[in-house]
Amino acid sequence: QVELVQSGGGSVQTGGSLRLSCKASGYSKYSYPRQCIGWFRQSAGPKREGVAAIDSDGTTTYVDSVKGRFTISQDNAENIVYLEMNNLKPDDSASYYCALDLRSCISGAITYCSTGFCLHEPEFDYWGQGTQVTVSS
């Protein structure tokens, strides 16, 4: 079955950097030639905020709050997606989750909304286990 396994995260001080990894397995790229992997974060409350996404064609999307600080990338050979987080702020503290939609990102996972680009949580069918990021001031 489809599985997303996350690694990385931890604790840093303001201005520090961390890298998260998300390894996907259990699906065939011949059957699903396009995929969208997104990174979400959840701090207080039940709502998750999507922060970045990458399509299998390499197209990347960021929400305004992380643009210029976070970089999403992928290793297609290893089926790993990375989220490089630089210049971290205390507001970035959260549990971070990667998620997979077995379609291209423009099939519904990402739309343009009033605050810029938005990632739509219900469109992602598979989720990683989550990893904690803590940024201290």
Side-chain angles (χ1 to χ4, degrees):
Q1 68 274 21
V2 178
E3 186 178 28
L4 302 179
V5 178
Q6 297 180 222
S7 59
S11 298
V12 295
Q13 293 187 324
T14 297
S17 298
L18 287 171
R19 188 175 79 161
L20 307 181
S21 301
C22 175
K23 183 172 175 61
S25 62
Y27 62 92
S28 166
K29 290 187 177 181
Y30 294 102
S31 299
Y32 300 97
R34 296 291 295 273
Q35 315 93 41
C36 180
I37 289 190
W39 284 97
F40 290 77
R41 63 187 180 187
Q42 183 177 19
S43 51
K47 184 170 173 59
R48 289 175 179 167
E49 175 194 22
V51 298
I54 188 165
D55 197 296
S56 49
D57 70 356
T59 303
T60 59
T61 302
Y62 302 91
V63 298
D64 287 349
S65 60
V66 305
K67 202 173 293 184
R69 300 189 298 121
F70 289 14
T71 302
I72 189 170
S73 61
Q74 62 188 358
D75 180 334
N76 282 324
E78 296 294 330
N79 271 8
I80 299 175
V81 170
Y82 301 98
L83 184 68
E84 185 77 33
M85 304 182 293
N86 298 313
N87 192 20
L88 283 161
K89 306 174 182 180
D91 284 350
D92 295 317
S93 297
S95 293
Y96 281 72
Y97 298 86
C98 62
L100 170 66
D101 179 9
L102 289 173
R103 303 173 300 168
S104 69
C105 289
I106 62 172
S107 296
I110 296 174
T111 59
Y112 191 77
C113 55
S114 60
T115 55
F117 285 104
C118 290
L119 279 66
H120 296 285
E121 183 178 349
E123 299 294 330
F124 292 87
D125 296 316
Y126 305 97
W127 291 80
Q129 79 276 20
T131 187
Q132 181 66 34
V133 170
T134 302
V135 185
S136 58
S137 57

